[in-house]
Amino acid sequence: QDGSKKYYRSLELQEHQFLKFLAGDKRYAKMVELVDNPIKVGNPTPKVAWVFVLLAQRTNNTKVLCNKILCKWQSQLKMKKPNPETKCTWYQPAVQNMRLRGFLSRLKTRYGRQMSYADDFRGYEGSLSAVLKQLYREREQEWDGYAVKRKNCIKAEDRHKVRLDKFDESDHNQHIEKCVVGSGTYFGFRGAKEYAMLKIEDVSIGTYSKDSDFKGYSYFAVAHLVDKTHALSAENGYRQDITTLMKVPILNDDPTSGDCGGTMKRMLEKSLPNQKRFYHNTKKKVLYLNK
C-alpha cells in the first residue's frame, strides 16, 4: 500500500514537472490554462489543463504536436541531485523509460489519452523512441559504463571470489540463500521473478558427455526460463531460444563446501512430493511430514 502511494505520488510530480516545462516555454505556455474537463462530470465542472484535453484527441496534428512536446520535455529532464559516483545528472535509460511509461499511462486513465506509444511514438524519423535512442547513445559516456561498473556487479572472472561455503545448509533458510547467491553468480539470475518462479520441471541433473572437459562428472542444469529482457512485449515480438541447458558441474557433494552444483542438487533432493516450485518453506515440510 505504501509502495502504491509512493508510485502515484511520483506520477503527480511528473505531471507537475510536465506542466512546469510547458509554462516555461513561450510556444506552449497557453497550454497550461485551465478549461472544462470533457470526461469528468460535476457541479461545478472540474477544470483541467488545456494540453491534456488537446492530447486526448488522436489526430495527425495532435500526434505530431504530442510527439514534439514529449521529445522536447524528455530531452531536458534531469535528476535533482547528480549520481554520487558518476556525477551525472541524467536519468539512466531504465529509470527514464519507466517514468515515461508511467506518465503516458496516467494520461490515458486520467485524461482519456487515445494515442499509444507503440503506434504513435515509434517507427519513424523524429519519433520519441528514435530521439530517446539517440540521446541514450550520446549520454552513454557520461553514465560511465551504465550497468557495467556497479560495485555490486559480479563479473565472470570474479566468480571464484564468491564464498558459498559461508552458508550453513543445516539451516534451511540459509540453504535457500546459498542457492539464490549461487544462481545469481553462475546462472545470471536477476530481480525476483527468476528465483521465485523457478520450478522443479525447469531443473535437471545429468552426466557430462565423453567429449566434455568435465567427463565423468554430473551437472545441475536449468532450462526453459524466460527472462524479462526476452519476454514477449510491444517492443519485442520474438522469444529467445530457451531450450539450451545452463549447466554447472557438481564437483563436491559436501554440504560445507562452496560448490554451486552440489548446493543446487541437495536443494532439489529436499523437494516434497507434488512440489512445483524449486524452493519450499520449512513449515510446509513439517506439516507434510506430520501427516
Side-chain angles (χ1 to χ4, degrees):
Q1 187 175 1
D2 292 338
S4 297
K5 289 182 179 179
K6 186 177 180 181
Y7 172 72
Y8 287 113
R9 176 57 180 164
S10 69
L11 294 183
E12 291 177 1
L13 290 175
Q14 286 188 72
E15 183 177 316
H16 176 73
Q17 290 176 349
F18 178 66
L19 293 176
K20 186 177 180 180
F21 157 74
L22 292 177
D25 192 314
K26 294 181 180 180
R27 295 170 296 178
Y28 309 125
K30 289 187 177 181
M31 290 187 174
V32 300
E33 295 179 357
L34 297 179
V35 298
D36 292 342
N37 191 341
I39 65 171
K40 296 286 185 179
V41 179
N43 188 16
T45 305
K47 299 292 184 178
V48 64
W50 179 46
V51 63
F52 297 133
V53 177
L54 182 65
L55 298 183
Q57 306 169 32
R58 193 185 187 203
T59 66
N60 288 334
N61 290 335
T62 56
K63 172 183 173 181
V64 172
L65 178 61
C66 186
N67 183 78
K68 185 177 181 179
I69 292 176
L70 289 176
C71 287
K72 182 75 174 178
W73 178 46
Q74 290 292 305
S75 299
Q76 55 84 49
L77 276 182
K78 291 185 178 182
M79 297 183 289
K80 290 183 178 180
K81 296 181 180 180
N83 185 295
E85 293 183 11
T86 64
K87 308 302 180 184
C88 179
T89 58
W90 303 117
Y91 287 107
Q92 291 186 349
V95 177
Q96 185 156 345
N97 289 342
M98 177 185 68
R99 290 167 59 88
L100 174 61
R101 299 268 184 175
F103 176 74
L104 293 177
S105 176
R106 180 179 176 84
L107 294 187
K108 181 178 181 180
T109 57
R110 190 177 178 86
Y111 302 112
R113 178 183 65 88
Q114 299 178 24
M115 288 176 276
S116 69
Y117 178 82
D119 295 333
D120 300 304
F121 302 120
R122 62 190 298 266
Y124 57 91
E125 185 178 356
S127 67
L128 177 61
S129 177
V131 170
L132 287 178
K133 186 176 182 179
Q134 180 62 30
L135 278 178
Y136 296 158
R137 188 181 297 115
E138 294 173 356
R139 296 173 181 175
E140 190 170 0
Q141 296 300 322
E142 297 184 57
W143 286 315
D144 190 25
Y146 166 66
V148 174
K149 294 186 178 180
R150 294 177 180 172
K151 291 183 178 180
N152 62 345
C153 181
I154 301 174
K155 298 181 180 180
E157 59 269 23
D158 295 328
R159 289 175 180 172
H160 66 282
K161 298 179 182 179
V162 180
R163 297 287 304 275
L164 295 180
D165 58 323
K166 294 295 184 179
F167 295 93
D168 182 7
E169 287 190 27
S170 62
D171 180 343
H172 185 68
N173 290 331
Q174 286 197 47
H175 192 180
I176 292 179
E177 292 174 355
K178 188 176 181 180
C179 290
V180 168
V181 174
S183 298
T185 304
Y186 291 90
F187 294 129
F189 285 6
R190 294 294 181 267
K193 183 178 179 180
E194 290 88 349
Y195 301 103
M197 301 303 292
L198 186 63
K199 299 179 181 179
I200 295 293
E201 63 186 35
D202 296 327
V203 304
S204 62
I205 294 176
T207 304
Y208 283 101
S209 59
K210 295 180 180 180
D211 57 347
S212 171
D213 293 336
F214 293 98
K215 175 184 176 182
Y217 285 95
S218 297
Y219 62 77
F220 179 89
V222 177
H224 308 297
L225 288 181
V226 179
D227 60 80
K228 292 185 287 293
T229 305
H230 295 92
L232 294 176
S233 66
E235 294 284 339
N236 180 40
Y238 298 92
R239 176 163 288 174
Q240 183 190 36
D241 181 7
I242 54 174
T243 57
T244 304
L245 295 176
M246 297 185 292
K247 304 176 183 177
V248 289
I250 302 174
L251 303 176
N252 194 328
D253 205 18
D254 183 357
T256 62
S257 73
D259 180 59
C260 179
T263 300
M264 303 296 285
K265 169 181 173 291
R266 289 186 292 277
M267 178 58 73
L268 180 62
E269 292 172 346
K270 288 183 178 181
S271 61
L272 306 175
N274 301 321
Q275 179 181 324
K276 294 184 178 180
R277 299 288 174 84
F278 183 71
Y279 300 109
H280 63 80
N281 190 297
T282 51
K283 292 181 179 180
K284 292 183 178 180
K285 183 174 183 179
V286 172
L287 291 174
Y288 177 83
L289 294 176
N290 289 335
K291 286 184 178 180

